[in-house]
Amino acid sequence: MTKRIWEDLLTERDKQVISAAGYDKEGASSWESRGMGTNPMVLVIDMQRLVVGADEPILNAVEEYRTAMGEIAWNAIDHIEPFLEFSRNHEIPVTYTRVVPSSYDDPNHEDLDIVDAVAPKEGETVINKSYASAFYGTDLLSRLVRGGHDSVIIVGNSTSGCVRATAIDAQQNGFNVVLPQECVFDRIEASHKIALMDLWMKYAEVLERDEVESWVEGIDE
């Protein structure tokens, strides 16, 4: 059973509300908020140098890039890197996004590069975006429709920002959303946990990485 990493933030009443309203079993009652699908695409959100930074405590990492998350990001990379290889081995397409801040005149600046540990392989798509959601102002929706995909597996950052915005837009466009919780991260622990809980309650399936891999293996059977 999935370990719900946000449980330590909930009051006893919070837990009772979640159970009494059925969020723990069915998610949101207004729409099909949880599902897995049979033809997923992996979305790798903004795994760039200025966001990842060096593998060091975050308070050191922000001295080079104010947006860097340091060891928080690298702890997630320890799971993202093998998950991407697993996905490729099971012929699940992998698509990347890069955020290009308005403060950068050069979209090819090295700060915006995806870090080598989880870099795209030859032929994999990299989508540039200007806002939080990978859907806003991009051709991602067209790519998903053309590929016949019914679900997205989202990894990367930040849980409360670009991951959340992308997950909500994916769900509202009719796609199932799956989040391997070890593969997403945020600079603030409380934001990470609460964002994951909100997504689980209303928009997405939040599972441990090995559970997601078991689902992917089941698709092949």
Side-chain angles (χ1 to χ4, degrees):
M1 177 177 290
T2 308
K3 180 181 178 182
R4 305 297 182 193
I5 64 170
W6 52 82
E7 290 280 336
D8 61 326
L9 300 182
L10 301 179
T11 66
E12 189 57 38
R13 191 189 72 169
D14 292 336
K15 295 175 183 177
Q16 291 173 1
V17 168
I18 289 170
S19 177
Y23 286 103
D24 53 339
K25 295 182 175 62
E26 300 181 52
S29 61
S30 301
W31 52 80
E32 296 291 330
S33 67
R34 292 197 203 123
M36 303 290 279
T38 59
N39 187 12
M41 173 188 285
V42 175
L43 298 179
V44 185
I45 307 297
D46 303 350
M47 293 299 295
Q48 298 158 257
R49 185 173 299 172
L50 82 166
V51 175
V52 173
D55 190 359
E56 60 187 3
I58 185 171
L59 288 175
N60 295 333
V62 296
E63 293 180 4
E64 181 179 11
Y65 300 111
R66 63 184 292 268
T67 51
M69 300 192 215
E71 65 182 359
I72 295 172
W74 286 96
N75 288 340
I77 286 172
D78 286 342
H79 292 277
I80 295 171
E81 183 177 10
F83 181 72
L84 294 180
E85 289 308 304
F86 168 87
S87 298
R88 293 176 180 120
N89 290 338
H90 286 79
E91 299 184 346
I92 305 298
V94 178
T95 296
Y96 289 74
T97 69
R98 292 191 322 148
V99 61
V100 181
S102 58
S103 56
Y104 280 81
D105 295 328
D106 179 9
N108 297 313
H109 195 286
E110 63 180 11
D111 291 355
L112 306 180
D113 290 345
I114 296 166
V115 296
D116 290 343
V118 292
K121 301 298 184 183
E122 184 177 357
E124 291 180 339
T125 298
V126 179
I127 296 172
N128 288 339
K129 65 186 181 72
S130 301
Y131 297 94
S133 174
F135 286 85
Y136 188 83
T138 76
D139 65 349
L140 176 58
L141 178 57
S142 296
R143 291 178 180 276
L144 288 164
V145 172
R146 287 199 304 269
H149 299 290
D150 58 5
S151 53
V152 293
I153 305 169
I154 301 176
V155 304
N157 76 101
S158 65
T159 316
S160 64
C162 297
V163 167
R164 177 184 171 87
T166 300
I168 292 173
D169 276 359
Q171 203 278 335
Q172 291 178 154
N173 277 290
F175 300 97
N176 296 306
V177 180
V178 180
L179 301 173
Q181 64 183 13
E182 302 96 331
C183 298
V184 295
F185 59 97
D186 207 318
R187 58 185 50 81
I188 303 298
E189 184 177 7
S191 297
H192 172 62
K193 290 181 176 182
I194 291 298
L196 268 184
M197 184 193 73
D198 283 343
L199 288 167
W200 167 74
M201 286 180 64
K202 303 165 189 171
Y203 304 106
E205 216 37 279
V206 178
L207 300 168
E208 293 176 1
R209 182 186 127 204
D210 62 348
E211 294 175 305
V212 178
E213 291 177 352
S214 294
W215 160 58
V216 170
E217 288 173 338
I219 294 173
D220 293 339
E221 294 178 354

